Amino acid sequence: MSTTVEHLTERSARSAAEVNEEIRALWLRSGGTLTGEQREEYQRLVLEWAAAAPQSVEAA
C-alpha cells in the first residue's frame, strides 16, 4: 500500500479534524507508548492529516 500524500488525498474524504481525533484516540489507547504496529498506524494517520489539513500560503 502506498503512503504518499497524493495517494492519501485521493483516498481520504475525512477532514483534518477527524483524522486528528483518531490520532488522539490512538495515543490514549496506547497509554503514551506506541508499539511497532501502532507507530505504523500513527505515521499513516499523520500523512493523512497532512493531506487533509488546509495549506497556508505565506507572502513572499
Side-chain angles (χ1 to χ4, degrees), residues 3-51:
T3 56
T4 64
V5 172
E6 293 82 12
H7 175 75
L8 291 170
T9 301
E10 293 171 5
R11 186 174 68 93
S12 177
R14 298 191 302 170
S15 71
E18 290 172 307
V19 179
N20 189 44
E21 185 60 33
E22 189 171 341
I23 291 169
R24 289 173 183 264
L26 173 63
W27 278 106
L28 286 173
R29 285 192 314 269
S30 75
T33 304
L34 300 176
T35 65
E37 185 177 314
Q38 289 170 322
R39 271 193 300 272
E40 289 177 15
E41 181 180 2
Y42 174 74
Q43 290 172 347
R44 178 190 59 79
L45 289 168
V46 168
L47 288 174
E48 184 179 350
W49 174 85

